[in-house]
Amino acid sequence: MTSIFVVFAAVSILVLLIPSVRRARLRRWARDHFDPARYGLVARDQLDASRPGPPPPLDLRKETQAVADAAWDGDWHAAAAFVDAAGTDWDLRWSRLEVLQEIALHQDAWLGKWRTAQPGNGDAATVYASVLLHRAWQVRGTAYARKVPVGNMTHFKALLPGVMEAAQHAARLAPQDPAPWVVMVTAARALTYTHEEFHGLWENLTARAPYHYAGHWQALQYWCEKWHGSHKLMRDFALRAVRSAPAGSPLAGIYLHSLVEYEKAAVGFEKASGSPGVSANRAVRKILIQVAHCLDQVPETNAELPRLRHLLAYYLGQGGQFDAALEQFRLIGPWCGAAPWTTASDPVAAFDLARATAARKSTPTST
């Protein structure tokens, strides 16, 4: 009987060792034999972890800098024109409001002047509400609730009603704009809104912009298990985003963020053993191909696209879809300053190993 247990223990140890041995062999191959050019990939010495993708066009960078310079000089007119130029492209408008919010977080005298000069301006009111929200979150931090100091959490919760009031005021000033509702949806999860209360906010947001990317990302956070939902509710929400995403929209990428949230919660054997985890699931593999198809239709100039490509390449590779992963790495090019690589101590090495793995395990016709 003892010998049976000894054999069983030896076999168990061998089973656990096999994956690590395979990974070690792959690392050696990637280090000593991987030729990126053979697979249509950029050279290792060209990899750049400073950015997730190429920098914005020069004219946009100049325009944004001019807006910031004017604001720091106390002039709000350039900021107002910057948002107005987006028209009713709600995703673009939101991204420009975020730029103004970042400027105001560092210096907000110009925002005060704008609100005084144009008290009925919904954009100014939305930026103000967003600044209040981000300042509140800075107090809380990004840690799980149990790790936030009690004093910080108390202060954070005391600030939230003012955030919601400011966002509601902005919504009254700009009744067609979804942006104030994005702020409300974000604050709602910290205010512990019930599902019914949250649905009311969500319906208002999507009535104005049914495919709003940032709005969906914030709503996904609400439906996460760590906030007020569950894995099922989060997955169902993300699947609806994939199915409803119009051509040219990055909305299907919300599904990738749901996988990130699932993996954060599933700390344990899957991660420790190096198993492929959630993306090896057959249904997930199928959806990832759908997401890839959707992202193929998104303009290369879309600001969300580079980060989504990194997540897509990672999950395709983790799920064994190496040909599809390799194609994403080709599209990504030299840029590797994005999650999941940036969670590693050496993002360049993590990125290079992932693309080498995809190349090594891809079929010959994909190379």
Side-chain angles (χ1 to χ4, degrees):
M1 182 66 72
T2 302
S3 62
I4 293 176
F5 283 118
V6 170
V7 171
F8 178 78
V11 171
S12 298
I13 292 171
L14 182 61
V15 168
L16 290 173
L17 284 176
I18 288 174
S20 64
V21 170
R22 288 174 176 168
R23 290 196 298 274
R25 287 176 178 171
L26 184 57
R27 287 192 182 94
R28 285 196 295 272
W29 179 85
R31 182 189 65 222
D32 300 332
H33 303 292
F34 174 46
D35 177 9
R38 177 185 169 189
Y39 300 94
L41 302 168
V42 300
R44 184 178 285 122
D45 61 7
Q46 293 179 25
L47 297 182
D48 186 343
S50 67
R51 298 186 54 83
L58 181 59
D59 58 345
L60 178 57
R61 280 181 279 160
K62 287 182 175 179
E63 182 182 13
T64 304
Q65 188 60 56
V67 170
D69 290 342
W72 289 326
D73 288 339
D75 183 1
W76 54 268
H77 293 86
F82 183 61
V83 179
D84 275 343
T88 56
D89 182 336
W90 300 122
D91 280 334
L92 177 59
R93 198 175 186 94
W94 175 258
S95 71
R96 293 189 172 204
L97 287 168
E98 283 192 307
V99 169
L100 301 188
Q101 163 226 292
E102 286 298 319
I103 297 170
L105 281 171
H106 292 89
Q107 197 270 76
D108 64 358
W110 62 274
L111 178 57
K113 292 179 180 179
W114 186 10
R115 294 176 62 224
T116 299
Q118 295 186 332
N121 188 292
D123 293 329
T126 300
V127 174
Y128 176 67
S130 186
V131 167
L132 292 182
L133 175 67
H134 280 77
R135 285 178 176 161
W137 226 279
Q138 286 172 349
V139 171
R140 182 197 185 281
T142 57
Y144 282 94
R146 65 180 179 273
K147 296 183 178 181
V148 178
V150 174
N152 289 18
M153 186 63 81
T154 300
H155 187 195
F156 171 61
K157 290 182 177 180
L159 293 171
L160 292 173
V163 173
M164 189 63 78
E165 182 180 345
Q168 290 168 342
H169 175 66
R172 289 191 293 271
L173 295 178
Q176 304 304 315
D177 194 340
W181 297 94
V182 177
V183 177
M184 284 186 252
V185 161
T186 308
R189 72 174 185 266
L191 285 165
T192 63
Y193 270 39
T194 66
H195 290 184
E196 184 178 0
E197 291 171 326
F198 186 83
H199 276 302
L201 296 179
W202 185 242
E203 287 172 2
N204 271 285
L205 195 162
T206 53
R208 292 160 173 80
Y211 312 116
H212 200 286
Y213 182 86
H216 276 78
W217 191 91
Q218 294 297 345
L220 181 77
Q221 295 302 306
Y222 177 90
W223 294 116
C224 287
E225 185 180 60
K226 68 185 180 185
W227 282 101
H228 307 296
S230 65
H231 290 324
K232 182 181 185 305
L233 290 171
M234 175 184 68
R235 181 196 65 204
D236 291 348
F237 178 83
L239 284 174
R240 287 194 295 273
V242 175
R243 291 165 183 158
S244 65
S249 167
L251 186 61
I254 291 296
Y255 183 77
L256 302 172
H257 291 293
S258 76
L259 297 183
V260 172
E261 293 299 334
Y262 180 86
E263 284 203 335
K264 285 180 181 177
V267 175
F269 178 76
E270 285 186 359
K271 302 294 285 184
S273 67
S275 85
V278 66
S279 54
N281 178 280
R282 182 180 298 178
V284 174
R285 285 161 53 93
K286 184 177 180 180
I287 297 162
L288 286 173
I289 296 302
Q290 289 180 255
V291 173
H293 175 70
C294 290
L295 295 187
D296 281 345
Q297 302 174 65
V298 177
E300 291 296 325
T301 54
N302 186 282
E304 305 295 342
L305 186 59
R307 288 183 174 84
L308 293 176
R309 285 204 190 283
H310 286 285
L311 291 176
L312 179 58
Y314 169 75
Y315 284 116
L316 286 169
Q318 287 291 299
Q321 295 172 285
F322 300 112
D323 292 352
L326 182 59
E327 179 57 27
Q328 292 303 314
F329 283 116
R330 288 173 180 144
L331 292 169
I332 289 168
W335 314 102
C336 51
W341 330 116
T342 48
T343 62
S345 58
D346 186 343
V348 171
F351 177 83
D352 192 43
L353 178 60
R355 67 183 191 147
T357 301
R360 175 74 165 172
K361 297 187 176 184
S362 63
T363 58
T365 55
S366 71
T367 62

